[in-house]
Amino acid sequence: MPGATTTAPTAAPATTSPAGPGRARRTLALAGAETRLFLRNRTAVVNSVLLPLLLVAAVPMLGPGDGAVPVGPRLLVSAVGIMLIFLTYYNLLTTFVARREELVLQRMRTGELTGAEVVLGIATPTLLVTAGQVALVGVGIAVLGEWTAPVDVVLPLVGLIGGAALMLLLAAASTAFTRTSESAQITALPLLVVSASLCGLFFPLTALPDPLATVARFLPLTPVVELTQLGLAGRTWTGEAVDLAGAWTGALLPLAVLAGWLVAGGLLARRWFRWAPRR
C-alpha cells in the first residue's frame, strides 16, 4: 500500500560458545595433576631418584673403557643412558599401563583432551625427573672438580631430547603386550637388558666381535650414547679423539639411526598404544 514501509527482519546475534582452554593449558593442567600424584607416591619417588643415581655412581667402579674418556664426561654420558632406559622408559611404561587399567585413559579420551595431550601430560613428571637427574649429576661432577669443557653442546642435547622422545614412544608401544604394571618388570626386560648392555655404557663396543658391534650400533639407546659421548668427550664409538668438525662427522650415523627409531617408534605407538584394558 502507498506509504507503507517494510522493515527487514533483524537477525539474532550469533551466540558463540566460550572457547575452551588451549592445548598447552590443558596439557599443563594434566601434567600438574600427574606431578602431584607422583610426589605423593614415596616409593616411586625413591625408585626414580635414588636407584638411577646409584647406578651412575657404580659406573666408575666398573671401569668401562681404557681411561681415554675423563671421569666427568664418562659419568654424564652414563647418567643420560641410565636415566633414559631405567627411569624414563620403565616409569612411563608402568604409568601408562596403570592409568589404562584404572580406566583413567579411557575417561580422559571422552573429554576435550586429545590423545597426544593425554600422553604428554602423563609423561611430564617422568621427563622432568629425568632432566633433573641428569642436571644433578652434572652439578655433582662440577663440585667434584671433574668437569671438562664439552667439544659441542648441541649433540648431547639432541641425544637427551631425542632419546627421551624415543623412550616415551617405545613405552607407549610396549603397553600393547603389558597387561599390568607389575608385568612391566618382565616385558621391559628385553629393552632394559639388551639396550643397556650393548650401547657402550658399561664397556666399549670395540670389545665385541665386529658383527655384534655393528648390530649394537643400531639398537635404540646406542645412538644416544654415541651422540652424548661425541659432544661431551670428543670421542667416537671406537675411542678416537675428534674435534668439533670430527664430532659432527661422526654423528651422522647416530643421528640417522636415532631419527629412524623415532619414526618407527611413532608408528608403533600410534598403532599399538592401548587406551582401554583388554577384558
Side-chain angles (χ1 to χ4, degrees):
M1 297 183 56
T5 59
T6 58
T7 304
T10 304
T15 58
T16 57
S17 59
R23 289 187 175 185
R25 184 176 297 180
R26 292 196 299 262
T27 305
L28 288 174
L30 177 57
E34 286 290 330
T35 302
R36 289 191 291 273
L37 288 174
F38 173 78
L39 293 176
R40 291 173 186 170
N41 190 334
R42 294 182 180 180
T43 302
V45 172
V46 170
N47 289 340
S48 299
V49 174
L50 291 183
L51 293 184
L53 288 179
L54 291 175
L55 286 173
V56 174
V59 169
M61 292 184 288
L62 296 175
D66 54 3
V69 179
V71 174
R74 190 194 317 165
L75 281 175
L76 203 49
V77 171
S78 301
V80 171
I82 288 172
M83 298 305 170
L84 287 179
I85 196 72
F86 289 99
L87 173 57
T88 310
Y89 171 75
Y90 183 73
N91 271 18
L92 288 181
L93 175 57
T94 56
T95 302
F96 287 148
V97 173
R99 297 291 183 272
R100 181 191 67 195
E101 297 304 306
E102 295 163 357
L103 304 181
V104 173
L105 295 181
Q106 205 169 26
R107 289 197 296 269
M108 287 181 177
R109 288 281 285 172
T110 62
E112 292 183 335
L113 290 167
T114 65
E117 290 167 2
V118 171
V119 171
L120 187 57
I122 292 176
T124 295
T126 296
L127 296 177
L128 290 177
V129 172
T130 300
Q133 292 283 69
V134 173
L136 182 61
V137 172
V139 171
I141 291 169
V143 170
L144 294 174
E146 297 291 346
W147 178 263
T148 58
V151 173
D152 180 74
V153 296
V154 176
L155 290 176
L157 288 176
V158 170
L160 178 60
I161 296 172
L166 178 58
M167 293 301 112
L168 189 158
L169 294 172
L170 293 180
S174 300
T175 60
F177 46 84
T178 306
R179 296 188 63 87
T180 66
S181 55
E182 290 78 14
S183 65
Q185 300 176 30
I186 298 174
T187 58
L189 275 180
L191 188 63
L192 292 177
V193 174
V194 176
S195 287
S197 60
L198 295 178
C199 67
L201 277 181
F202 303 110
F203 55 84
L205 296 183
T206 52
L208 300 172
D210 289 344
L212 183 56
T214 301
V215 172
R217 294 194 70 194
F218 289 88
L219 294 176
L221 193 61
T222 309
V224 176
V225 173
E226 286 192 33
L227 292 173
T228 309
Q229 183 167 291
L230 280 167
L232 293 177
R235 297 279 174 173
T236 66
W237 72 282
T238 59
E240 178 186 357
V242 293
D243 56 9
L244 177 59
W248 277 96
T249 301
L252 294 178
L253 179 60
L255 286 171
V257 174
L258 181 58
W261 271 108
L262 285 170
V263 173
L267 294 174
L268 292 175
R270 186 184 183 92
R271 182 177 180 84
W272 290 353
F273 187 70
R274 304 296 181 193
W275 295 98
R278 291 178 174 176
R279 300 302 185 190

